[in-house]
Amino acid sequence: MDKPSKLEQQLCFEVYKASSNFTKMYARVLDPFGLTFTQYLVLLILWDEDRLLTKDIGGRLGLGIGTLNPTISRMLENGWLLKEQSTQDKRAFIISLTEKAKDNNKPIEAAVADKLVSCHFLEDVNAIALMKNLKELNAFFNEMDL
């Protein structure tokens, strides 16, 4: 039997591969809507709480402004989001959903549920335990203030 390589023994590599595979799965489902995985995550945040500052969206996603701004710009161009200057801070912007984004909430949720959750490996994996473990791992990293 072959001994696993050093790379294959690394937890970080398995997390990286899992993240990459989730992104690919979601990309297939979101493509008909013209969305990327990161754009979908922005919508998830705004479907929970519309009208947020760009920095608050970035904070929730763990993305810097340099990464988030191009994503938001593409979503503005494609009619998913609106952007207005904050009245409290002229350097800050409030991001909100368009009617297109609101109207597509249920169809996108249905596509994700139908294509990913019900049809894939999550039925065989203890998704609740996995989610709990990943939340604990991420909380640990947050405490390290990375």
Side-chain angles (χ1 to χ4, degrees):
M1 186 182 301
D2 291 335
K3 178 182 171 188
S5 71
K6 289 182 181 182
L7 178 64
E8 293 167 329
Q9 295 175 25
Q10 300 297 312
L11 175 62
C12 62
F13 182 59
E14 291 303 321
V15 171
Y16 168 78
K17 287 192 319 186
S19 175
S20 178
N21 287 324
F22 264 102
T23 300
K24 289 175 191 172
M25 286 189 336
Y26 274 87
R28 280 189 225 126
V29 173
L30 298 170
D31 186 56
F33 297 97
L35 292 168
T36 66
F37 182 60
T38 305
Q39 292 170 345
Y40 170 66
L41 296 177
V42 170
L43 287 175
L44 283 176
I45 289 169
L46 292 169
W47 284 329
D48 276 345
E49 184 180 353
D50 199 4
R51 299 188 49 75
L52 290 175
L53 292 171
T54 306
K55 69 176 185 171
D56 294 332
I57 295 169
R60 290 187 190 183
L61 290 175
L63 294 177
I65 294 298
T67 303
L68 185 59
N69 276 341
T71 298
I72 288 177
S73 292
R74 282 190 300 277
M75 295 179 79
L76 291 165
E77 290 168 12
N78 293 326
W80 291 99
L81 301 177
L82 299 171
K83 180 179 178 179
E84 64 185 86
Q85 196 169 39
S86 169
T87 56
Q88 282 81 29
D89 181 353
K90 297 295 181 195
R91 298 166 297 164
F93 291 93
I94 298 169
I95 306 300
S96 59
L97 297 167
T98 62
E99 287 305 311
K100 173 182 176 178
K102 292 173 186 175
D103 292 344
N104 277 282
N105 182 343
K106 296 297 180 202
I108 292 170
E109 284 181 356
V112 168
D114 290 347
K115 300 280 193 295
L116 298 177
V117 177
S118 64
C119 300
H120 286 78
F121 73 97
L122 292 176
E123 294 173 352
D124 297 328
V125 173
N126 188 341
I128 294 170
L130 180 60
M131 176 76 89
K132 179 180 179 286
N133 289 338
L134 289 171
K135 284 182 184 257
E136 289 171 0
L137 180 63
N138 285 317
F140 170 77
F141 287 137
N142 287 338
E143 287 176 16
M144 291 177 62
D145 197 29
L146 298 175

